[in-house]
Amino acid sequence: MFRPRPRLRSVFDRIASYRPDEAVVPVAGRVCALGANESPHGVLPDIAAAVMAAAGTVNRYPDFGASELIAQIARTHGVPEERVALGAGSVALLQMALQAIAEPGAEVLYAWRSFELYPVLADLAGVRSVRVPLLNEALDLPAMAAAVTRHTRIIIICNPNNPTGTALGQAELRDFLDLVPADCLVLIDEAYAEYVRHPGPRSALSLCRERPNLAVLRTFSKAYGLAGLRIGYLVGDPFVAAQLRKACLPYSLSTVAQAAALAALKAQDQLLAQVDETVAERARVRQALLAAGWDIPRSEANFLWLRLGEASADFARSCARAGIHVRTFPGEGVRVSVGSQADNDAFLAAAVAWPATAR
Ligand SMILES: *Cc1c(COP(=O)(O)O)cnc(C)c1O
């Protein structure tokens, strides 16, 4: 019998439903969670205490404008508060920005392979994606500049790039920005900025003052260890920040998330010392992989990229059997987070045992 269904935008036929990764078998009761680039460090006691205290007030709505947190973020970066906008994760800010430009014909330009949520968010917002292939695992800025059309409204630059870990220098970024039309918003997704160690500036934040069409996205999900609470922010021109604040889903920044982010900023020194540990582990893991004959691009983030091509799924399955969760991009590669020393050792054992002929 014909049963009519609610009629939706046709793009929903293309968007895949969320499917959890294949279950990873615990080994000795433990799973190495190296699939989502989370902080491997436990929550600091002061942050846990702030979360507990905020939990006692959740019968009330959160502070709509999150004024204390905005003020603290502004102070942290030495910018006026009017340049800061918050979102329930930096992906919420991306969604807000895409909604803000989603008129018929509007395009968003980004590199590919890059963060897997860019196409999903663009589709949801009704914005056409234009993808520019990576060159040697890195963003090809000249090709991206050449792909700008009069329909391009947003350019997303993932720096360092997820999942390849490669980072751009300030000079090449400046050259690129000089070529971008002033009415096109450039969003630099700096989810991993805290892990960058190359010489020279590690963030585009300082470039925002001179360029009203440039904004930086940051998150509390990685270096600050709050992935489960959903909180991120944008620093950019006061006009852009003000418009995105309008697009925020009301009350989507929970009281608990606001309190935790404030506590995390207070504990910044401790958290950045944890980042130093991860950076040291990143070097150790990469060196061990190189020594075992793997070809791994230099990473400025908290993960490494194994370009396994057609062998990606098999390798991920063999990791899963060893209790290790990695992120698979079938046919392309595997991304492995830099975790605790023990988890990294478990991964190294699996990777070193993987036959060179199968890479
Ligand atoms: C992890 C990640 C984020 C963080 O997203 P949140 O919504 O803040 O958790 C953003 N961009 C990229 C490229 C990421 O890898």
Side-chain angles (χ1 to χ4, degrees), residues 73-98:
I73 290 169
R75 222 168 295 144
T76 300
H77 292 299
V79 299
E81 292 172 25
E82 59 179 0
R83 287 185 167 274
V84 180
L86 290 170
S90 50
V91 297
L93 285 151
L94 272 173
Q95 182 177 41
M96 286 143 66
L98 288 162

Side-chain angles (χ1 to χ4, degrees), residues 273-305:
Q274 294 180 344
V275 168
D276 286 339
E277 288 176 35
T278 298
V279 167
E281 277 294 285
R282 172 177 80 197
R284 181 179 77 89
V285 175
R286 179 165 181 263
Q287 281 312 317
L289 289 171
L290 293 177
W294 285 85
D295 182 17
I296 309 286
R298 173 185 289 278
S299 169
E300 298 287 342
N302 65 344
F303 52 83
L304 295 167
W305 176 239

Side-chain angles (χ1 to χ4, degrees), residues 178-299:
D178 287 340
L179 298 172
V180 174
D183 65 353
C184 176
L185 177 62
V186 181
L187 295 174
I188 317 270
D189 186 344
E190 294 189 347
Y192 302 98
E194 293 85 357
Y195 301 92
V196 176
R197 290 295 179 273
H198 66 53
R202 296 170 182 179
S203 168
L205 267 169
S206 62
L207 302 179
C208 292
R209 234 181 317 250
E210 10 165 326
R211 298 174 194 263
N213 65 332
L214 179 66
V216 166
L217 294 173
R218 292 289 189 93
T219 180
F220 283 94
S221 297
K222 309 284 157 62
Y224 287 83
L226 299 180
L229 283 175
R230 315 306 306 126
I231 196 149
Y233 58 94
L234 168 143
V235 181
D237 191 69
F239 170 78
V240 172
Q243 302 314 306
L244 288 199
R245 286 180 190 187
K246 293 182 195 171
C248 186
L249 180 70
Y251 298 120
S252 55
L253 291 161
S254 75
T255 308
V256 176
Q258 292 184 37
L262 275 167
L265 287 175
K266 266 199 207 115
Q268 195 178 33
D269 292 349
Q270 267 170 288
L271 292 168
L272 293 181
Q274 294 180 344
V275 168
D276 286 339
E277 288 176 35
T278 298
V279 167
E281 277 294 285
R282 172 177 80 197
R284 181 179 77 89
V285 175
R286 179 165 181 263
Q287 281 312 317
L289 289 171
L290 293 177
W294 285 85
D295 182 17
I296 309 286
R298 173 185 289 278
S299 169

